[in-house]
Amino acid sequence: MNIIYNASTNLMQGFLRLYGKCLSRRAHRKFSRFVKGQQGLIEKIRTDMASADRSRPTVWFHCASLGEYGVARPLIAAVKAKGPVNVVLTFFSPSGYEALAQRHPDIDYLYYLPLDTRRNANAFLDAVRPDRAVFMISEYWPNYLRALKFRAIPTFLVSAIIRDNSQFFKWYGKTYRNALSAFHHIFVLNEASRFNLNMLGYDEVTVSGDALFDNASLVAATPWHDEVIARFTEGRPTFIAGSISDLNDERLIQRLIEENPDTPFILVPHDVDPAHIERMRRIAGPAESVACYSELTLLPEAASRARVLIIDCIGKLAYLYRYGTWAYVGGGFTPLLHSVIEATVYGLPVSFGPRIERKVTPTQLVDLGIGAIVTTPEGLCRWFESLKSNPVALAEIKERAAGFVARNEGATQSIVNKITSGLWAND
């Protein structure tokens, strides 16, 4: 399987180079942006890191996308608070890199992750020279992990869920099983994951809380005001559909908008490329009742005239849930349901699709009556109708959510203590 994996990644590397030469400057689709981000990447990293202050240790954090950064963010802040350190953060997806490209507090170096070929992995580690490597949730890059293990660099996996039907237990999973041995320690979210790792012969495991709670609580406590969104809501109960990802999400939200003409909606697509924004406009209703955030930044007073507001920029969702009353979180018709915690910390009842097997929190929210699984437009409409004019139920959910969040905060410090043990000479 190693031969097949390496052949496929090398083939992909060649394809990216060829595809990149054919791209126009105006190409803006997500994959095109990813390809552009890979161009000249290793050389850029070498150049940047040549001037790094090597009197400080270097910690490399890797996230797949912006959602995983919610786990990394409080860890990064806590590591920075413990002592002088260089923080290198990489993303695989444009959704993460682009959100932080202009402003990234606590991060010293921000990059796309070079594709997982043996050559790239070694070139990256030669340039960065990390003293610790920290991967988020489900990032298993065999060549990077093999190179980290060979160099004896302590490597950690945080907020993992290891299911008994995951790739580790498949006939083709040897490459990924071998990759586990690179991890110095794995922090998992439930006992089932610890058991499954033990079955695979891996014992360096801690069941810890989810650092996403610490990040979401930090965001919720951060003073933040947006004039466009404030003008749009004007104190009215507002439905927020966050991280809308695919046609299933769009189908449900379209029906909900049609059935509730008296309710303002904020739609936040996961990807803000022009084609996706245009689809959002089509499902949102008559053109005269729909506005995009970017159109209103110079004229925020016009926001109150719209019934549906489309957020056509990235990085605002975790903050703007504070303006909402109910929420739907997208991605739940794929294995990649987005963060339901971001809405929960504000006390919002939250609905989502049925594919929740890769996360722990959605099931807990359903059990507590805070969250609801919806599979059809009719089901979403029924759920919303039960809460739309029910202040007593909303108040109860808000109280339950506050207690749930409080019980799950505090994982960050214990994780960081383990990661940074021995990192500084006087530690």
Side-chain angles (χ1 to χ4, degrees), residues 169-389:
F169 292 96
K170 304 294 185 183
W171 63 269
Y172 54 81
K174 184 177 180 181
T175 296
Y176 294 97
R177 289 193 293 273
N178 290 341
L180 284 176
S181 65
F183 289 112
H184 182 77
H185 202 87
I186 297 177
F187 298 91
V188 297
L189 295 181
N190 56 21
E191 286 290 346
S193 294
R194 182 185 359 217
F195 175 81
N196 287 332
L197 284 169
N198 293 162
M199 292 291 290
L200 292 166
Y202 188 92
D203 298 320
E204 289 296 325
V205 188
T206 298
V207 180
S208 68
D210 194 340
L212 275 172
F213 282 95
D214 295 330
N215 180 65
S217 296
L218 177 64
V219 170
T222 301
W224 189 83
H225 174 81
D226 188 285
E227 189 63 24
V228 171
I229 297 168
R231 293 278 190 138
F232 174 77
T233 58
E234 290 190 326
R236 299 176 296 172
T238 300
F239 193 104
I240 297 179
S243 297
I244 302 304
S245 303
D246 60 22
L247 295 176
N248 287 300
D249 292 334
E250 294 173 13
R251 185 168 52 92
L252 268 64
I253 295 303
Q254 181 174 14
R255 174 70 69 82
L256 192 66
I257 292 172
E258 292 171 351
E259 296 289 328
N260 295 275
D262 57 336
T263 301
F265 286 82
I266 297 177
L267 308 186
V268 188
H270 181 61
D271 190 5
V272 295
D273 70 70
H276 202 175
I277 296 301
E278 185 55 37
R279 286 209 311 275
M280 290 288 100
R281 283 187 177 276
R282 288 199 294 272
I283 73 168
E288 62 273 14
S289 66
V290 180
C292 282
Y293 180 90
S294 61
E295 299 166 351
L296 298 172
T297 52
L298 297 177
L299 196 65
E301 59 270 19
S304 59
R305 296 196 289 270
R307 187 172 77 87
V308 179
L309 177 63
I310 299 171
I311 309 298
D312 55 349
C313 56
I314 55 180
K316 291 185 180 293
L317 179 58
Y319 294 90
L320 68 82
Y321 276 123
R322 68 189 65 196
Y323 288 96
T325 309
W326 317 269
Y328 172 87
V329 173
F333 288 89
T334 76
L336 302 174
L337 173 67
H338 298 287
S339 175
V340 296
I341 298 172
E342 290 176 348
T344 303
V345 294
Y346 294 104
L348 274 61
V350 58
S351 53
F352 37 82
R355 298 290 305 276
I356 61 174
E357 66 272 14
R358 293 183 64 178
K359 298 198 174 186
V360 173
T361 305
T363 299
Q364 295 171 328
L365 293 180
V366 171
D367 292 342
L368 290 168
I370 299 167
I373 296 171
V374 293
T375 58
T376 64
E378 293 78 15
L380 179 59
C381 289
R382 283 195 300 271
W383 172 80
F384 179 57
E385 190 61 35
S386 70
L387 296 170
K388 184 177 180 180
S389 302

